Amino acid sequence: AQKITQTQPGMFVQEKEAVTLDCTYDTSDPSYGLFWYKQPSSGEMIFLIYQGSYDQQNATEGRYSLNFQKARKSANLVISASQLGDSAMYFCAMRDAGLTGGGNKLTFGTGTQLKVEL
Amino acid sequence: NAGVTQTPKFQVLKTGQSMTLQCAQDMNHNSMYWYRQDPGMGLRLIYYSASEGTTDKGEVPNGYNVSRLNKREFSLRLESAAPSQTSVYFCASSEGDRLRMNTEAFFGQGTRLTVV
């Protein structure tokens, strides 16, 4: 069964610093995708970045990068040069191919609340 | 471009009442999902539909039913609402299927449901 774990309920970072948000996952499927979403206080869900299980390189999107360590089953989000607008809840999510059942289910972690301070 | 549209945005129900949350997407996506979001619990999957004509239980299906009416629409029904179902509900859709992992899910704006 799929499982996503985010162990940091809350994080603080100073403006312009980098921050890493942790995510570990569990699946027995060899084919899966990992996603990060941002949820600001307004409530909408914003897609940030994707990493596939077969991707050789770590994904990057602007100030966001994904530190993918397949053997450790971790997919940490790194935000560089934090801005006040980065203050939000961040969710890690996973979809697998369902080769072991439950295909295409998209499972989320419990989230990390990030606060960027001056 | 509407994306994923959920109705209603807010709802107050009395215990025991029923209601249906509507969700429609205009992106021709195969997969659709219903989640509930509660403080400290993240987004928990209630039901999902990997393709038109199929539905599967997620993590917290008890007390809910779903219908994948066609490719566009996926509704969530509460037959007899309980205070424990007070939550924010999100519908989402994605193009992804078993062969394509890399398509992100698009979310509706959410429905804030209170059961008193």
Side-chain angles (χ1 to χ4, degrees):
Chain A
Q2 292 180 345
K3 188 174 172 62
I4 293 280
T5 303
Q6 294 180 255
T7 57
Q8 306 155 312
M11 291 278 287
F12 289 89
V13 65
Q14 288 208 309
E15 196 181 22
K16 299 178 187 174
E17 298 291 312
V19 63
T20 298
L21 307 182
D22 293 342
C23 173
T24 57
Y25 61 91
D26 191 24
T27 178
S28 52
D29 221 307
S31 178
Y32 53 89
L34 296 155
F35 303 82
W36 277 91
Y37 284 82
K38 172 184 179 181
Q39 186 181 42
S41 57
S42 52
E44 73 264 36
M45 295 289 288
I46 302 167
F47 166 70
L48 296 177
I49 195 166
Y50 166 82
Q51 180 83 45
S53 59
Y54 295 117
D55 292 345
Q56 297 297 312
Q57 307 262 5
N58 285 344
T60 60
E61 287 287 348
R63 293 187 299 111
Y64 304 109
S65 60
L66 205 152
N67 184 0
F68 181 47
Q69 298 190 41
K70 196 170 181 177
R72 294 186 178 185
K73 292 190 173 180
S74 75
N76 298 338
L77 178 70
V78 181
I79 305 175
S80 63
S82 297
Q83 302 171 356
L84 294 177
D86 294 333
S87 293
M89 181 73 86
Y90 289 81
F91 291 101
C92 181
M94 179 175 69
R95 173 194 288 135
D96 67 27
L99 299 176
T100 56
N104 211 33
K105 187 163 55 175
L106 182 61
T107 301
F108 282 77
T110 52
T112 296
Q113 183 73 49
L114 177 67
K115 182 82 170 24
V116 180
E117 300 173 315
L118 287 170
Chain B
N1 216 5
V4 179
T5 304
Q6 273 182 250
T7 55
K9 288 189 170 49
F10 301 93
Q11 184 72 47
V12 178
L13 287 179
K14 292 183 179 178
T15 297
Q17 285 186 318
S18 63
M19 80 162 294
T20 300
L21 280 65
Q22 307 285 355
C23 177
Q25 51 93 5
D26 61 3
M27 296 172 281
N28 202 36
H29 285 168
N30 292 313
S31 301
M32 297 187 75
Y33 309 85
W34 276 105
Y35 295 91
R36 60 178 289 173
Q37 183 177 15
D38 303 290
M41 308 289 285
L43 275 79
R44 292 183 293 169
L45 184 64
I46 305 171
Y47 272 94
Y48 69 108
S49 171
S51 60
E52 186 180 356
T54 68
T55 60
D56 286 286
K57 293 179 181 179
E59 184 185 352
V60 288
N62 291 346
Y64 305 95
N65 285 302
V66 290
S67 296
R68 183 78 184 264
L69 304 167
N70 46 54
K71 194 169 186 180
R72 288 188 64 246
E73 298 171 289
F74 189 40
S75 62
L76 178 72
R77 182 157 179 86
L78 287 69
E79 290 291 352
S80 179
S84 61
Q85 294 178 305
T86 293
S87 188
V88 179
Y89 291 85
F90 284 98
C91 176
S93 73
S94 76
E95 189 180 346
D97 56 29
R98 286 189 174 84
L99 300 178
R100 291 173 296 171
M101 295 288 106
N102 65 340
T103 54
E104 73 269 28
F106 294 82
F107 282 78
Q109 292 299 302
T111 296
R112 189 172 291 275
L113 176 67
T114 303
V115 183
V116 297

